Amino acid sequence: MLGTGSATETRRTIRGACLLDCPDTCATLVDVDGDTVLGLRGDPQHPFTAGSLCPKVHDYERRLYSPDRVLEPLRRVGPKGSGRFEAITWDDALDEIAERLGTIAAEDGPEAILPFSYLGNYGLLNGLAVGDPFFHRLGASVCERSFCDSGSTTALRMTVGRTVGMDPESFAHSRYIVVWACNVQATNLHLWKFIRAAQRRGAKVVVIDPLRTRTAAKADWHIPIRPGTDAALALGMMNVIVGEGLVDTDYVDRHAVGFDELAERVRDYPPSRVAAVCGIPEEDVVRLGREYALGQPAAIRLGVAVERHASGGQAIRAISSLPALVGAWRRVGGGLLQLTSPAFPIDWPALQRPDWIRPGTRVVNQYRLGAALSGELGLDPPIRALFVYNSNPLVTLPEQRTVAAGLASDDLFTVVGDHFLTDTARYADIVLPNATMLEQFDIVCPWGQLYVTLNQPASPPLGESVSNREMFRRLAERMGFDDEIFFLDDREAARRALRWDDPSLAGITLERLEEDGWARLSLPGADELAPHAQGSFPTPSGKCELKASLAEGGNFVVPTLREGYTELQSGEPLDPLPHQAGYDGDLHGADRHPLILLTPKAQSYLNSQFANMPRQRKLQGSVQSVLIHPDDAATRGIAEGELVRIANDRGDVRALATLTDEVARGVLVSPLGHWRDSQPGEATVNAITAPGLADMGNAPTFSDTAVEVHATTAAASREAS
């Protein structure tokens, strides 16, 4: 028996779900003996994930039982950052936190308290929103979470509305597939089998990426675009499509608005200009535009990386206009996929309680945490308390040295909830022990497929660790909050997390999920779903808005996972001018920093998760690496395996050089995820990444980082890592 397992046998199998921030959300089967987890495996019956797990999690039980787990509350006894703590009781920890937060709120006001969280846990109950009711009830500053997909979601809503877009499984029916800035084989592994099925049937697969990734290597055509010029390429494709009469005029006339304005705009982007901007041959621009228009049904898998440039939002506006222009939405297997999240009827207000936010409460963008702590933002009152959960900002944020200096301040009271003493936790005053995904109940609505999945605990929480929900329940009780939301049991919280009467959940109940583990939303099947064959875009006009009506009110931050406190910001409508390669705010045009640094996800880590686990570190290499084109290395006297210095005016990072023509000239690639305390100089890539915000959605601009790379006197071999 599956589900919660048989009570008559000590060995049983528990149905679960991977709670990592990944589009795939693998359905898992966890083998246990009594209370001991023996291992986990993928559920072979799941239509999307089909039994396979990625290298990050297939030995997750080692994380559960790691000797380095934080299993009791800790109080700092050494200098901040030293990692020296003593064990204390939960009562002592709660008393100290409540007293300090209460005092700070009384002296400076509750806005002097800043929560900081992201998607270290993707579950609805213990993930992004779990602390929001507590901090809104307290009156703390709102932490704006625009770290990932806010720019994309803003641009997509302005163009095609809050649509699911394509069913990922329908890629098997595509004839032409463009994978745009997404390394599917590393970060969206289970989509590949549907792409591969189409490829076997004769579909052409094109990958647009500055790096020849594993996905690009398996494609039919790799286009090594210059970073940050995606908008130009999309406009160049449109120039070809419009100029050669390849527009599906019937579809555009009936289901789009703004074509005349767009057609006028794309005249400024002939293939010759686009080729120069993007660093690719002119004939490739022409060929891509033609093939995409004629290869129907054509699909675009749009990666998050596009938004991480100064013009990222407008690039996504341009790319998401392409399917309507050629009528790709008409048929199954045509259109665009970025996020499936809109398909799920999540009751975000019930989870977050935005109605508790006091009028005028300030919003602090999490991407600028370093500036907020340093005083650069001029916050009044200043941040005096920081509460971090589901995140490791010292590794994942830019301005790493500024963040570290802020965390080291004796004027800042910091609480961190986590599984381990991360780089951030080492600076905490109090560390609280969090349960892992194998120790908690949760429900998951993926952002890359259409199955709602239940995670059931396979082990009681080890030591004194607790789920995030339980952590905030205890804090709420100690602060004197008696609101019902803090005291719901997990099953009742799950019932309130979704709008179960929504047609997309027809026939799906919590009881069914407890028995079966997962269920596909009640939507047409993957061989039937063509959501915009007849238009019906969820935009103000009901059409694909090539000229966005929403832009008339200014560019704005879409309330992506932060319903209830949307902020407007100024911006220009429909002006997708790409910046030139090398853009980097204050470093723009600096001859001293001629290279662009890209920092993609590491193959064996999920952001900074697993970077402390022995097997994953061995797979990834324990020392930061950087890919350099041989020509760039030769002009700088850099040898294979040398420990080089990547630098700009923000600082520098040491990394082991790998010389390869898989990366374009003028581009360096160094993956994110390593912890500072394991790296030379205690610095990782985010010590030098760009801290600016993009044109839409307050998105980050990681990929606009201008640097130089220098040979060093120290050399090391790959074997040394």
Side-chain angles (χ1 to χ4, degrees):
M1 177 180 177
L2 293 174
T4 57
S6 170
T8 60
E9 300 176 359
T10 59
R11 292 189 67 128
R12 61 200 191 283
T13 300
I14 308 294
R15 289 194 178 276
C18 180
L19 299 182
L20 297 182
D21 178 19
C22 166
D24 292 21
T25 302
C26 292
T28 62
L29 301 176
V30 186
D31 297 316
V32 301
D33 189 350
D35 287 337
T36 301
V37 173
L38 304 176
L40 70 163
R41 49 199 166 92
D43 183 350
Q45 300 303 312
H46 193 282
F48 187 79
T49 60
S52 62
L53 298 177
C54 76
K56 302 172 183 68
V57 299
H58 66 64
D59 63 346
Y60 194 90
E61 71 279 2
R62 295 187 181 182
R63 184 177 180 88
L64 171 69
Y65 295 123
S66 170
D68 297 328
R69 276 278 304 273
V70 174
L71 294 177
E72 54 194 345
L74 303 174
R75 178 193 288 127
R76 180 174 59 85
V77 294
K80 289 192 172 185
S82 67
R84 291 167 53 196
F85 294 88
E86 65 178 0
I88 58 175
T89 67
W90 264 102
D91 280 338
D92 286 344
L94 293 170
D95 284 343
E96 185 166 342
I97 294 169
E99 189 277 327
R100 292 293 297 272
L101 296 185
T103 298
I104 290 169
E107 292 177 351
D108 286 326
E111 286 182 310
I113 301 165
L114 180 68
F116 190 103
S117 68
Y118 206 64
L119 288 168
N121 182 314
Y122 196 74
L124 287 183
L125 305 187
N126 293 287
L128 195 74
V130 63
D132 288 358
F134 176 82
F135 290 108
H136 296 340
R137 180 72 167 75
L138 184 62
S141 291
V142 171
C143 184
E144 180 181 57
R145 307 181 185 106
S146 61
F147 201 72
C148 182
D149 271 320
S150 181
S152 302
T153 307
T154 300
L156 289 167
R157 188 173 293 192
M158 294 172 75
T159 313
V160 294
R162 193 173 185 272
T163 177
V164 178
M166 292 180 63
D167 181 339
E169 296 175 52
S170 71
F171 272 69
H173 301 287
S174 304
R175 287 187 57 202
Y176 199 85
I177 298 173
V178 180
V179 180
W180 204 313
C182 180
N183 186 3
V184 173
Q185 293 224 321
T187 61
N188 194 184
L189 178 63
H190 299 88
L191 177 64
W192 181 254
K193 66 175 175 290
F194 300 102
I195 294 176
R196 182 71 184 105
Q199 195 178 36
R200 285 196 298 266
R201 296 188 185 108
K204 186 168 186 175
V205 178
V206 182
V207 170
I208 301 172
D209 200 302
L211 175 66
R212 190 171 185 266
T213 62
R214 293 173 61 191
T215 306
K218 292 183 178 295
D220 300 292
W221 183 17
H222 172 219
I223 301 176
I225 190 174
R226 183 175 290 143
T229 61
D230 306 271
L233 182 56
L235 290 167
M237 292 172 65
M238 292 180 192
N239 179 286
V240 174
I241 292 166
V242 173
E244 297 189 2
L246 302 177
V247 174
D248 186 332
T249 54
D250 176 67
Y251 191 90
V252 169
D253 289 346
R254 291 193 293 131
H255 304 307
V257 294
F259 173 74
D260 291 341
E261 292 91 335
L262 182 63
E264 180 65 25
R265 182 71 179 133
V266 303
R267 291 175 62 183
D268 295 335
Y269 285 86
S272 57
R273 181 189 179 194
V274 170
V277 170
C278 297
I280 59 177
E282 180 179 346
E283 55 268 29
D284 284 0
V285 180
V286 175
R287 175 184 166 197
L288 180 62
R290 287 175 182 164
E291 289 185 354
Y292 173 73
L294 297 172
Q296 300 307 317
I300 297 175
R301 172 63 171 105
L302 180 58
V304 178
V306 175
E307 76 170 10
R308 292 173 178 165
H309 301 277
S311 60
Q314 291 292 18
I316 291 164
R317 286 268 293 118
I319 295 167
S320 59
S321 297
L322 283 165
L325 205 61
V326 299
W329 291 111
R330 287 185 182 277
R331 296 166 57 188
V332 175
L336 178 85
L337 170 67
Q338 212 266 333
L339 294 171
T340 60
S341 305
F344 296 91
I346 301 169
D347 193 340
W348 286 111
L351 287 168
Q352 295 182 298
R353 296 309 304 262
D355 54 308
W356 287 354
I357 300 173
R358 301 172 189 178
T361 298
R362 73 182 177 195
V363 176
V364 179
N365 189 280
Q366 65 178 186
Y367 194 63
R368 298 308 311 280
L369 178 65
L373 296 179
S374 70
E376 179 185 337
L377 298 185
L379 299 178
D380 184 18
I383 303 300
R384 290 188 54 197
L386 181 70
F387 198 115
V388 179
Y389 58 100
N390 285 341
S391 189
N392 183 12
L394 189 47
V395 171
T396 59
L397 288 185
E399 303 179 292
Q400 188 173 87
R401 288 179 170 83
T402 305
V403 174
L407 292 174
S409 171
D410 289 331
D411 295 329
L412 181 71
F413 175 65
T414 302
V415 180
V416 174
D418 214 309
H419 305 151
F420 298 95
L421 281 179
T422 64
D423 284 337
T424 304
R426 292 170 66 88
Y427 284 83
D429 295 284
I430 299 289
V431 179
L432 300 177
N434 286 172
T436 68
M437 66 185 185
L438 294 178
E439 301 163 284
Q440 60 190 252
F441 180 96
D442 218 319
I443 193 164
V444 196
C445 295
W447 57 274
Q449 44 121 320
L450 295 172
Y451 297 80
V452 59
T453 312
L454 191 71
N455 183 65
Q456 301 189 69
S459 167
L462 300 186
E464 297 179 47
S465 64
V466 299
S467 69
N468 287 332
R469 287 197 71 242
E470 175 62 15
M471 177 176 69
F472 283 109
R473 184 199 68 76
R474 294 183 182 188
L475 285 165
E477 185 176 47
R478 195 57 55 100
M479 294 292 292
F481 302 161
D482 59 2
D483 309 270
E484 181 189 31
I485 190 172
F486 299 116
F487 302 99
L488 300 173
D489 65 37
D490 288 340
R491 296 183 83 256
E492 182 57 29
R495 293 189 190 282
R496 300 191 187 190
L498 295 171
R499 299 190 300 275
W500 294 90
D501 58 351
D502 189 273
S504 66
L505 291 178
I508 302 173
T509 63
L510 187 59
E511 290 73 21
R512 176 184 167 188
L513 293 176
E514 287 176 323
E515 181 64 27
D516 298 339
W518 46 266
R520 180 182 167 89
L521 293 178
S522 296
L523 300 171
D527 57 349
E528 304 173 85
L529 187 58
H532 302 301
Q534 302 301 321
S536 302
F537 292 93
T539 59
S541 65
K543 299 182 178 183
C544 176
E545 299 203 350
L546 307 175
K547 179 180 180 180
S549 59
L550 290 175
E552 295 173 4
N555 188 10
F556 58 92
V557 180
V558 166
T560 308
L561 303 181
R562 51 186 286 267
E563 300 285 352
Y565 40 96
T566 303
E567 295 251 320
L568 295 179
Q569 61 182 30
S570 63
E572 296 296 326
L574 194 59
D575 186 22
L577 278 168
H579 62 77
Q580 297 296 319
Y583 179 84
D584 183 7
D586 56 322
L587 302 183
H588 177 47
D591 292 337
R592 294 178 298 114
H593 307 120
L595 305 175
I596 298 298
L597 174 67
L598 301 182
T599 56
K601 309 288 188 184
Q603 182 77 21
S604 299
Y605 305 155
L606 198 292
N607 297 321
S608 71
Q609 291 187 77
F610 304 100
N612 64 320
M613 300 303 295
R615 186 183 65 83
Q616 285 84 349
R617 285 189 66 190
K618 183 177 181 180
L619 289 173
Q620 192 64 41
S622 59
V623 176
Q624 187 83 47
S625 63
V626 60
L627 304 182
I628 307 174
H629 192 279
D631 291 350
D632 291 328
T635 60
R636 292 162 175 83
I638 293 172
E640 173 73 21
E642 182 176 355
L643 190 67
V644 300
R645 185 171 69 91
I646 311 169
N648 57 25
D649 289 349
R650 300 184 192 100
D652 56 22
V653 176
R654 301 301 196 276
L656 291 172
T658 295
L659 278 53
T660 175
D661 59 7
E662 293 183 350
V663 63
R665 294 177 182 85
V667 178
L668 305 179
V669 178
S670 191
L672 164 76
H674 290 286
W675 288 12
R676 291 172 75 243
D677 65 357
S678 65
Q679 299 306 299
E682 291 196 338
T684 65
V685 290
N686 277 332
I688 54 177
T689 48
L693 298 175
D695 56 344
M696 291 185 188
N698 281 348
T701 56
F702 285 116
S703 298
D704 276 344
T705 301
V707 299
E708 179 58 284
V709 61
H710 306 274
T712 66
T713 55
S717 67
R718 281 274 170 215
E719 289 72 27
S721 68

